[in-house]
C-alpha cells in the first residue's frame, strides 16, 4: 500500500514494521498488479474504528450520522439510536471511556467529541459546539445559518483555538454558525430594538 504525504497525519512518524490501521481510498489495476492507496487522515478511518470497537454500531443499533475531522487534532462525530433504551453516546464512550480511549490511542492522542444527533437544529448545533455551554440557538432555516449565544466566559471555548471548534461544528451540522457572547448579543439586540422596548434577551 502507498500512504501519500497528503494522507499522513501531521506530526506522526512512520517506521518500518509499525502496525498501523489505515483507510483504503483507492485501488488501481496496474501492469505490476493492484496498487492500493491508503489514508490516515480520512474521516472514514474514524468511522471504521468505531465500527470495530462499538458492537452497537456494527449491529446497526447505533448509527453514525456525520463526522468532521481535522486529522491529528480533533474529530467530532454525531451518533443516533432509534431505540430510546440505547444511549448512543454512552455506547461509543464505553465503560469508563474504554472504547473511545482505544480509538484515541490508535489515532495517537487525537481528541474526539461524541455528540448525540438530533433533527432539531437548535439541539444539534448546541451539542456540536461541545464542550462549550450554549445559552440559545437562533436558526434561520432558509439560509441554513444560525446565531449561537454563549456565556461571556465560554466564547473562546465555543470558537476554539484558531476557530477549530466552531469550524468542526459547522462542518458536522452543515449549518453556518455565528457565535456571539451574551453581552455581544444583548448589545446587538439593544441597537435593533425600538427606544421604548425594554426587553432583554435570555
Amino acid at each position: 500500500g502507498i500512504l501519500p504525504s497528503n494522507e499522513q497525519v501531521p506530526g506522526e512518524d512512520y517506521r518500518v514494521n509499525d502496525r498501523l490501521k489505515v483507510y483504503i481510498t483507492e485501488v488501481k489495476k496496474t501492469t505490476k498488479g493492484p496498487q492500493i492507496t491508503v489514508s490516515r487522515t480520512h474521516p472514514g478511518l474514524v468511522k471504521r474504528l468505531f465500527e470495530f470497537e462499538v458492537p452497537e454500531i456494527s449491529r446497526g443499533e447505533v448509527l453514525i450520522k456525520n463526522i468532521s475531522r481535522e486529522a491529528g487534532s480533533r474529530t467530532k462525530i454525531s451518533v443516533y439510536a432509534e431505540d430510546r433504551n440505547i444511549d448512543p453516546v454512552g455506547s461509543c464512550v464505553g465503560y469508563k471511556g474504554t472504547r473511545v480511549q482505544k480509538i484515541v490511542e490508535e489515532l495517537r492522542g487525537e481528541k474526539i467529541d461524541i455528540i448525540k444527533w438530533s433533527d432539531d437544529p437548535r439541539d444539534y448545533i448546541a451539542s456540536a459546539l461541545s464542550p462549550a455551554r450554549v445559552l440559545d440557538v437562533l436558526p434561520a432555516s432558509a439560509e441554513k445559518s444560525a446565531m449561537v449565544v454563549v456565556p461571556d466566559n465560554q466564547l473562546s471555548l465555543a470558537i476554539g483555538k484558531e476557530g477549530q471548534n466552531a469550524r468542526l461544528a459547522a462542518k458536522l451540522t452543515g449549518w453556518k454558525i455565528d457565535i456571539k457572547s451574551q453581552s455581544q448579543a444583548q448589545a446587538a439586540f439593544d441597537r435593533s430594538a425600538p427606544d421604548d422596548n425594554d426587553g432583554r434577551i435570555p
Side-chain angles (χ1 to χ4, degrees):
I2 298 171
L3 181 60
S5 59
N6 64 325
E7 299 292 351
Q8 298 174 17
V9 176
E12 283 191 348
D13 293 321
Y14 309 115
R15 295 182 175 86
V16 176
N17 297 324
D18 277 357
R19 293 181 65 86
L20 287 173
K21 287 187 171 67
V22 294
Y23 185 80
I24 297 173
T25 58
E26 187 180 29
V27 179
K28 281 184 180 178
K29 289 183 179 179
T30 70
T31 54
K32 296 181 180 178
Q35 177 180 297
I36 302 169
T37 304
V38 298
S39 173
R40 284 279 293 173
T41 63
H42 199 286
L45 175 61
V46 178
K47 182 179 181 181
R48 294 288 179 249
L49 289 172
F50 271 97
E51 289 172 351
F52 184 76
E53 293 292 344
V54 182
E56 290 87 344
I57 292 178
S58 58
R59 292 195 298 262
E61 297 166 355
V62 172
L63 302 176
I64 295 173
K65 295 295 251 180
N66 300 102
I67 297 175
S68 60
R69 184 184 185 203
E70 293 190 2
S73 182
R74 196 179 206 101
T75 286
K76 287 183 183 283
I77 177 171
S78 60
V79 291
Y80 174 75
E82 290 279 357
D83 188 341
R84 293 188 177 183
N85 294 318
I86 296 175
D87 175 7
V89 174
S91 298
C92 293
V93 172
Y95 179 66
K96 293 186 177 179
T98 51
R99 289 176 176 176
V100 71
Q101 189 55 41
K102 287 181 181 178
I103 298 170
V104 169
E105 288 171 4
E106 175 61 40
L107 298 176
R108 301 186 180 182
E110 186 171 315
K111 294 177 182 176
I112 299 177
D113 298 332
I114 305 170
I115 292 144
K116 186 177 180 181
W117 179 86
S118 173
D119 57 3
D120 183 337
R122 293 174 184 267
D123 293 339
Y124 193 25
I125 292 168
S127 297
L129 285 167
S130 172
R133 183 167 62 90
V134 171
L135 295 175
D136 201 6
V137 177
L138 307 170
S141 298
E143 295 86 17
K144 212 169 184 185
S145 64
M147 187 177 85
V148 177
V149 182
V150 300
D152 288 10
N153 64 356
Q154 296 275 299
L155 182 62
S156 60
L157 184 63
I159 294 171
K161 186 178 180 181
E162 297 179 351
Q164 184 187 66
N165 195 57
R167 189 165 57 248
L168 286 173
K171 190 174 180 183
L172 186 76
T173 60
W175 283 66
K176 182 180 177 182
I177 300 173
D178 179 23
I179 303 172
K180 293 188 182 297
S181 67
Q182 189 173 17
S183 58
Q184 288 172 339
Q186 183 64 62
F189 177 84
D190 290 343
R191 285 195 300 271
S192 63
D195 293 341
D196 61 347
N197 188 336
D198 193 33
R200 289 292 183 268
I201 65 168

